[in-house]
Amino acid sequence: MSKLARRQAPALRPAGLIVAGFILVIMVGALLLTLPMSSADGTGTGLVTALFTATSATCVTGLIVVDTATHWSTFGEIVILALIQIGGLGVMSLAALLGLLVMRRVGLRTQMAARAETKSVEFGDGRRVILRVIGTSLVVEAVIAAVLTVRFAVGYGQGLVHSAYLGVFHAISAFNNAGFALYSDNLVGFVGDPWIILPISAGLVIGGIGFPVIFELRRAFRRVRGRAAHPDRKTPARPWFSLHVRMTLIVYGALAVIGVVVLTASEWRNPGTLGPLGFSDKLLAGLFSGLSPRTAGFNSIDVAAMHPSSLLVTDVLMFIGGGSAGTAGGIKVTTFAILGYVILSEIRGEPTVHAMRRRISPEVQRQAVTVALLGVGAVMLVALALMYLTDFRLDAILIETVSAFATVGLSTGITPSIPAAGQLLLAALMLLGRLGPITLASALALRERVRRFERPEERPIVG
């Protein structure tokens, strides 16, 4: 190829690298899961089942078509765990780390891809960002795994090795908001055990708020500690947190409280969920049921037995999701908040959109509208297709499709009964939800179009 041809050849954008990386990992994982050694009975697994499971694990969703606890062998479970970890950290972040360790340097393109995957709000050394992401993930997972290991060993009489295995698996699944569990009833058997439920809840919240929030919180803690150690030292006045962090923490916290209160109150007397539990167990189960849709996918009560109103609230919480640049899915709480500020500004008749004493750019507003509308469209199209393919109720199908798009994993139990065509649709929806509508669209676009002129302005009637 000549120099001119190489110069004119379009480079693969970071979004394209991310899409290609995820698809490659899913394919490799699916092939490994089809092997006889991956199944507990040694007979192998069908390609559609393996592909669905690999997609669900890599996209940290948690929807399953076979029982994780009984169908897969230890090797198959380890494959699933590896896919969860890779999907949670981001394929491109791991690729950049590998380049750092092997070649002692990271290419610019890989750094850009890693930043796009982690949506880092900082501009700095890409290697440092990637190492901080991975280091933070491993530390949090290790702490949660240690607590769970002790509990499984002391409280349930499991051997130390098996307890450590259970602790590590559920810690990684919790921090990455995957929702995979090594029990057939997920976490229903631990509904009243705070030593299991609370560490997993902490993991899903920390992973769900996003790495930029975690990094800024850590910097704020260091600033407080530095001021306490040197009270006479003068430091320049600056905002404690960025708009992104403030918006994420406030909206995430508010939705968490609303979800916990509404679902606990709605299910308090339901004989199929919270009804038979004691007072303290009801509170613990209600807390977990309100946090899990943010997009962990674990369940300590029977989702299929929940009231239709509770399922609708769960749909909303799942669709909104968690924080950007974390392991959670959905349209993200910042997107939801920006849309709220856009509506508020329009109601007030203000020409620009302001949030927390900051102006929101028109580009960000358009991105928020695009993400939300593409998400609604994708969920509705797949839900409509599943209604033609199956005989299930709308509320069950809607839980399934929103759960797939928001990479949650909560289900009323209909996933194994959905035909292969429907399962493939759900797998595609999981991939779309993990990568994000705008990321996927930009990756598939052949080129960017530059508008060289503007048409005359006209205002159609709205409403």
Side-chain angles (χ1 to χ4, degrees):
M1 182 182 293
S2 65
K3 292 183 178 180
L4 180 60
R6 286 197 302 268
R7 190 177 299 120
Q8 293 178 346
L12 188 59
R13 296 184 180 90
L17 289 173
I18 295 171
V19 174
F22 264 83
I23 293 177
L24 178 61
V25 170
I26 290 172
M27 293 303 177
V28 172
L31 291 177
L32 290 176
L33 292 177
T34 58
L35 298 177
M37 62 186 302
S38 294
S39 59
D41 57 8
T43 58
T45 303
L47 182 59
V48 174
T49 298
L51 180 62
F52 186 93
T53 304
T55 304
S56 182
T58 307
C59 297
V60 291
T61 304
L63 288 176
I64 56 174
V65 290
V66 291
D67 185 7
T68 306
T70 59
H71 179 84
W72 304 109
S73 64
T74 302
F75 176 79
E77 293 170 356
I78 293 175
V79 171
I80 292 174
L81 190 63
L83 294 175
I84 292 173
Q85 188 70 287
I86 293 173
L89 294 176
V91 174
M92 292 301 103
S93 294
L94 291 181
L97 177 63
L98 182 61
L100 171 64
L101 296 178
V102 176
M103 299 181 298
R104 296 294 181 180
R105 63 185 180 88
V106 179
L108 178 60
R109 186 181 302 173
T110 308
Q111 290 189 38
M112 292 173 60
R115 288 195 187 101
E117 167 59 21
T118 59
K119 298 182 178 66
S120 174
V121 295
E122 300 175 333
F123 180 79
D125 186 2
R127 294 173 293 183
R128 185 174 66 251
V129 172
I130 295 165
L131 289 175
R132 288 168 64 187
V133 168
I134 295 177
T136 301
S137 302
L138 295 180
V139 168
V140 174
E141 291 170 354
V143 172
I144 298 173
V147 176
L148 294 179
T149 298
V150 173
R151 182 56 180 168
F152 282 125
V154 175
Y156 297 94
Q158 302 285 349
L160 182 59
V161 175
H162 187 58
S163 296
Y165 177 66
L166 291 174
V168 170
F169 188 98
H170 291 94
I172 293 176
S173 183
F175 179 75
N176 291 287
N177 281 230
F180 279 87
L182 295 180
Y183 295 91
S184 298
D185 59 357
N186 204 270
L187 299 180
V188 174
F190 306 103
V191 63
D193 189 345
W195 292 100
I196 298 293
I197 298 299
L198 293 182
I200 290 179
S201 299
L204 66 92
V205 170
I206 295 173
I209 61 176
F211 289 111
V213 176
I214 295 174
F215 294 158
E216 283 205 40
L217 290 176
R218 185 167 61 181
R219 281 198 300 269
F221 174 75
R222 289 176 178 175
R223 289 175 60 187
V224 172
R225 188 173 58 181
R227 289 185 177 183
H230 305 281
D232 299 330
R233 179 182 298 175
K234 294 182 178 180
T235 56
R238 54 179 176 175
W240 278 96
F241 299 114
S242 66
L243 175 62
H244 171 80
V245 172
R246 285 180 287 158
M247 191 177 290
T248 299
L249 292 178
I250 292 174
V251 179
Y252 189 100
L255 290 176
V257 171
I258 293 173
V260 170
V261 172
V262 171
L263 290 178
T264 302
S266 178
E267 297 296 317
W268 189 264
R269 298 183 181 276
N270 187 345
T273 55
L274 301 184
L277 303 177
F279 181 79
S280 60
D281 291 349
K282 284 183 178 180
L283 295 180
L284 185 62
L287 172 68
F288 195 65
S289 299
L291 293 177
S292 190
R294 309 311 304 282
T295 60
F298 290 105
N299 64 285
S300 61
I301 58 175
D302 185 6
V303 177
M306 295 173 66
H307 291 308
S309 59
S310 299
L311 293 178
L312 182 59
V313 172
T314 302
D315 287 332
V316 174
L317 294 175
M318 289 192 301
F319 187 78
I320 296 173
S324 298
T327 55
I331 64 172
K332 305 299 189 299
V333 292
T334 47
T335 303
F336 178 73
I338 290 170
L339 293 177
Y341 280 111
V342 169
I343 295 173
L344 183 61
S345 298
E346 188 64 27
I347 291 175
R348 291 175 174 176
E350 298 175 348
T352 57
V353 178
H354 291 79
M356 302 178 185
R357 298 184 179 181
R358 293 291 186 271
R359 183 171 60 87
I360 306 298
S361 68
E363 292 79 7
V364 173
Q365 299 173 41
R366 290 197 298 268
Q367 290 175 4
V369 172
T370 302
V371 168
L373 291 182
L374 285 180
V376 171
V379 169
M380 291 298 101
L381 285 176
V382 176
L384 183 61
L386 292 182
M387 291 185 68
Y388 281 107
L389 293 172
T390 67
D391 296 325
F392 296 115
R393 303 189 319 270
L394 176 60
D395 54 357
I397 290 178
L398 200 57
I399 278 280
E400 204 78 13
T401 52
V402 175
S403 182
F405 170 78
T407 66
V408 181
L410 291 177
S411 172
T412 57
I414 68 172
T415 317
S417 302
I418 295 176
Q423 292 178 2
L424 293 177
L425 284 175
L426 289 175
L429 192 59
M430 286 188 282
L431 184 62
L432 173 65
R434 178 65 180 103
L435 299 179
I438 291 182
T439 301
L440 186 60
S442 62
L444 297 178
L446 296 177
R447 60 185 177 90
E448 295 181 354
R449 296 183 178 180
V450 179
R451 185 180 294 277
R452 303 186 183 278
F453 61 93
E454 290 292 342
R455 301 288 185 180
E457 181 178 336
E458 189 170 345
R459 303 191 63 165
I461 298 175
V462 176

